Amino acid sequence: MDEMILVDGKRIKCPSKFKWKKSDISAKNAGRTNDTKMHKNRVGEKRTLGLGWINLSKQEIHEVLSAFDPEYVTVQYWDPKAGYDVAKVFYTGDMEADVGWWKKGRERYSTLGFDIVEQ
């Protein structure tokens, strides 16, 4: 795959920031016992991807935000732990964009960023 990520099978602008995170999901009986030993009791793993873009035009920011607008999206990306391209279903966290400058016909957004979390 030449693109960094595909969203629902579609190419989007390559992110300027891509932060990978693995979280363990523990069973409800996980925790420390009186002997101070931790019993993690992992039942699964989930991924969070921190995505960010810089210097976006109005059209580019619209395309990225539209791609991640559905409640759930399938994202294909190269997973460093797996060592190959994977496709996982994610939901999108809070989104934030900063306007870089605003001049008619030359509008730019300095940054756009949000996390996507595996379902």
Side-chain angles (χ1 to χ4, degrees):
M1 178 171 84
D2 291 331
E3 301 80 16
M4 181 176 275
I5 61 174
L6 296 174
V7 180
D8 287 335
K10 298 175 193 147
R11 292 170 50 165
I12 63 165
K13 183 173 177 66
C14 187
S16 307
K17 172 192 161 201
F18 182 91
K19 183 177 181 179
W20 178 91
K21 178 181 174 184
K22 177 191 79 77
S23 299
D24 289 338
I25 308 300
S26 299
K28 57 183 163 181
N29 64 342
R32 292 199 184 274
T33 52
N34 287 339
D35 62 0
T36 71
K37 185 176 181 180
M38 180 63 176
H39 302 273
K40 189 162 176 130
N41 301 336
R42 181 172 59 197
V43 295
E45 297 178 343
K46 296 296 178 180
R47 305 292 192 268
T48 299
L49 304 179
L51 305 175
W53 292 261
I54 59 171
N55 198 26
L56 295 169
S57 68
K58 289 193 306 185
Q59 183 61 33
E60 289 170 330
I61 198 168
H62 169 73
E63 289 171 3
V64 172
L65 291 173
S66 295
F68 287 95
D69 189 51
E71 186 172 8
Y72 298 102
V73 293
T74 299
V75 177
Q76 184 177 342
Y77 68 98
W78 189 85
D79 188 276
K81 182 171 182 273
Y84 50 85
D85 289 341
V86 298
K88 296 181 179 287
V89 177
F90 290 86
Y91 62 90
T92 304
D94 295 342
M95 299 173 160
E96 186 172 54
D98 293 319
V99 174
W101 65 89
W102 201 263
K103 183 177 179 185
K104 190 166 173 91
R106 299 184 64 185
E107 301 86 353
R108 302 303 281 187
Y109 287 82
S110 58
T111 61
L112 169 64
F114 52 86
D115 290 345
I116 58 174
V117 181
E118 188 179 356
Q119 182 182 25

Short mmCIF file of all heavy atoms in Angstrom, two decimals, residues 5 18-21 47-51 75 77 79 90 114-118:
data_model
loop_
_atom_site.label_atom_id
_atom_site.label_comp_id
_atom_site.label_asym_id
_atom_site.label_seq_id
_atom_site.Cartn_x
_atom_site.Cartn_y
_atom_site.Cartn_z
N ILE A 5 -2.78 5.63 4.96
CA ILE A 5 -4.03 5.05 5.43
C ILE A 5 -5.09 5.14 4.35
O ILE A 5 -5.07 6.05 3.51
CB ILE A 5 -4.55 5.72 6.73
CG1 ILE A 5 -4.83 7.20 6.52
CG2 ILE A 5 -3.60 5.51 7.88
CD1 ILE A 5 -5.49 7.87 7.71
N PHE A 18 1.18 10.73 12.72
CA PHE A 18 0.57 9.41 12.86
C PHE A 18 1.16 8.80 14.12
O PHE A 18 2.32 8.41 14.16
CB PHE A 18 0.90 8.54 11.64
CG PHE A 18 0.28 7.17 11.67
CD1 PHE A 18 -0.97 6.97 11.09
CD2 PHE A 18 0.93 6.11 12.26
CE1 PHE A 18 -1.55 5.70 11.10
CE2 PHE A 18 0.36 4.84 12.27
CZ PHE A 18 -0.88 4.64 11.69
N LYS A 19 0.36 8.76 15.19
CA LYS A 19 0.83 8.23 16.47
C LYS A 19 0.08 6.94 16.75
O LYS A 19 -1.16 6.94 16.80
CB LYS A 19 0.60 9.25 17.58
CG LYS A 19 1.12 8.81 18.92
CD LYS A 19 0.92 9.91 19.96
CE LYS A 19 1.46 9.48 21.30
NZ LYS A 19 1.29 10.54 22.30
N TRP A 20 0.81 5.86 16.97
CA TRP A 20 0.24 4.53 17.19
C TRP A 20 0.24 4.21 18.67
O TRP A 20 1.21 4.50 19.38
CB TRP A 20 1.08 3.52 16.43
CG TRP A 20 0.68 2.09 16.57
CD1 TRP A 20 -0.19 1.41 15.76
CD2 TRP A 20 1.14 1.14 17.53
NE1 TRP A 20 -0.31 0.11 16.18
CE2 TRP A 20 0.50 -0.08 17.27
CE3 TRP A 20 2.02 1.21 18.61
CZ2 TRP A 20 0.72 -1.22 18.03
CZ3 TRP A 20 2.24 0.09 19.37
CH2 TRP A 20 1.60 -1.12 19.08
N LYS A 21 -0.86 3.60 19.15
CA LYS A 21 -0.94 3.22 20.56
C LYS A 21 -1.69 1.90 20.68
O LYS A 21 -2.72 1.71 20.03
CB LYS A 21 -1.67 4.31 21.36
CG LYS A 21 -1.85 4.00 22.82
CD LYS A 21 -2.61 5.14 23.50
CE LYS A 21 -2.93 4.81 24.94
NZ LYS A 21 -3.73 5.87 25.57
N ARG A 47 -6.37 -0.67 19.37
CA ARG A 47 -5.46 0.35 18.86
C ARG A 47 -6.11 1.73 18.91
O ARG A 47 -7.32 1.87 18.73
CB ARG A 47 -5.07 0.08 17.41
CG ARG A 47 -4.47 -1.29 17.14
CD ARG A 47 -3.10 -1.43 17.79
NE ARG A 47 -2.41 -2.61 17.31
CZ ARG A 47 -2.46 -3.80 17.88
NH1 ARG A 47 -3.19 -3.99 18.97
NH2 ARG A 47 -1.77 -4.81 17.39
N THR A 48 -5.28 2.73 19.14
CA THR A 48 -5.67 4.13 18.99
C THR A 48 -4.65 4.76 18.06
O THR A 48 -3.44 4.58 18.24
CB THR A 48 -5.67 4.87 20.34
OG1 THR A 48 -6.61 4.24 21.22
CG2 THR A 48 -6.04 6.33 20.18
N LEU A 49 -5.13 5.49 17.07
CA LEU A 49 -4.25 6.20 16.15
C LEU A 49 -4.49 7.69 16.32
O LEU A 49 -5.62 8.17 16.19
CB LEU A 49 -4.52 5.79 14.70
CG LEU A 49 -4.42 4.30 14.39
CD1 LEU A 49 -4.74 4.05 12.91
CD2 LEU A 49 -3.06 3.74 14.75
N GLY A 50 -3.43 8.43 16.64
CA GLY A 50 -3.50 9.88 16.71
C GLY A 50 -3.12 10.43 15.35
O GLY A 50 -2.00 10.22 14.89
N LEU A 51 -4.06 11.11 14.70
CA LEU A 51 -3.84 11.60 13.35
C LEU A 51 -3.82 13.12 13.33
O LEU A 51 -4.57 13.76 14.07
CB LEU A 51 -4.95 11.10 12.41
CG LEU A 51 -5.15 9.59 12.36
CD1 LEU A 51 -6.35 9.25 11.48
CD2 LEU A 51 -3.90 8.89 11.84
N VAL A 75 -10.43 1.46 8.67
CA VAL A 75 -9.17 2.11 8.32
C VAL A 75 -8.12 1.05 8.06
O VAL A 75 -7.94 0.13 8.87
CB VAL A 75 -8.71 3.07 9.44
CG1 VAL A 75 -7.36 3.70 9.11
CG2 VAL A 75 -9.76 4.14 9.69
N TYR A 77 -4.13 0.45 7.49
CA TYR A 77 -2.84 1.09 7.76
C TYR A 77 -1.81 0.02 8.07
O TYR A 77 -2.15 -1.13 8.35
CB TYR A 77 -2.98 2.07 8.96
CG TYR A 77 -3.22 1.37 10.27
CD1 TYR A 77 -2.18 1.12 11.15
CD2 TYR A 77 -4.49 0.90 10.61
CE1 TYR A 77 -2.40 0.45 12.35
CE2 TYR A 77 -4.71 0.23 11.80
CZ TYR A 77 -3.67 0.00 12.66
OH TYR A 77 -3.87 -0.67 13.83
N ASP A 79 0.45 -1.65 10.55
CA ASP A 79 0.51 -1.73 12.01
C ASP A 79 1.90 -2.20 12.43
O ASP A 79 2.34 -3.29 12.03
CB ASP A 79 -0.55 -2.72 12.51
CG ASP A 79 -0.66 -2.71 14.02
OD1 ASP A 79 0.14 -3.39 14.68
OD2 ASP A 79 -1.54 -1.99 14.53
N PHE A 90 -12.83 1.61 13.40
CA PHE A 90 -12.55 2.66 14.39
C PHE A 90 -13.74 3.59 14.52
O PHE A 90 -14.56 3.72 13.61
CB PHE A 90 -11.35 3.52 13.94
CG PHE A 90 -10.03 2.81 13.99
CD1 PHE A 90 -9.58 2.05 12.92
CD2 PHE A 90 -9.20 2.95 15.09
CE1 PHE A 90 -8.35 1.42 12.95
CE2 PHE A 90 -7.96 2.32 15.14
CZ PHE A 90 -7.54 1.56 14.08
N PHE A 114 -7.10 14.62 15.52
CA PHE A 114 -8.04 13.82 16.29
C PHE A 114 -7.50 12.42 16.43
O PHE A 114 -6.60 11.99 15.70
CB PHE A 114 -9.44 13.80 15.67
CG PHE A 114 -9.48 13.43 14.21
CD1 PHE A 114 -9.54 12.10 13.81
CD2 PHE A 114 -9.48 14.41 13.24
CE1 PHE A 114 -9.59 11.76 12.47
CE2 PHE A 114 -9.53 14.07 11.90
CZ PHE A 114 -9.59 12.76 11.51
N ASP A 115 -8.05 11.69 17.40
CA ASP A 115 -7.74 10.28 17.60
C ASP A 115 -8.85 9.44 17.01
O ASP A 115 -10.03 9.84 17.05
CB ASP A 115 -7.62 9.93 19.08
CG ASP A 115 -6.39 10.52 19.74
OD1 ASP A 115 -5.48 10.96 19.02
OD2 ASP A 115 -6.35 10.55 20.98
N ILE A 116 -8.47 8.27 16.49
CA ILE A 116 -9.46 7.26 16.15
C ILE A 116 -9.16 6.06 17.04
O ILE A 116 -8.01 5.72 17.29
CB ILE A 116 -9.48 6.91 14.65
CG1 ILE A 116 -8.13 6.42 14.15
CG2 ILE A 116 -9.95 8.11 13.84
CD1 ILE A 116 -8.13 5.93 12.70
N VAL A 117 -10.23 5.43 17.55
CA VAL A 117 -10.10 4.36 18.53
C VAL A 117 -10.77 3.12 17.98
O VAL A 117 -11.89 3.17 17.48
CB VAL A 117 -10.76 4.76 19.87
CG1 VAL A 117 -10.60 3.67 20.92
CG2 VAL A 117 -10.20 6.09 20.37
N GLU A 118 -10.05 1.98 18.08
CA GLU A 118 -10.61 0.75 17.57
C GLU A 118 -11.89 0.39 18.33
O GLU A 118 -11.96 0.51 19.54
CB GLU A 118 -9.58 -0.39 17.73
CG GLU A 118 -10.00 -1.67 17.07
CD GLU A 118 -8.96 -2.77 17.19
OE1 GLU A 118 -7.85 -2.53 17.74
OE2 GLU A 118 -9.26 -3.88 16.75
#
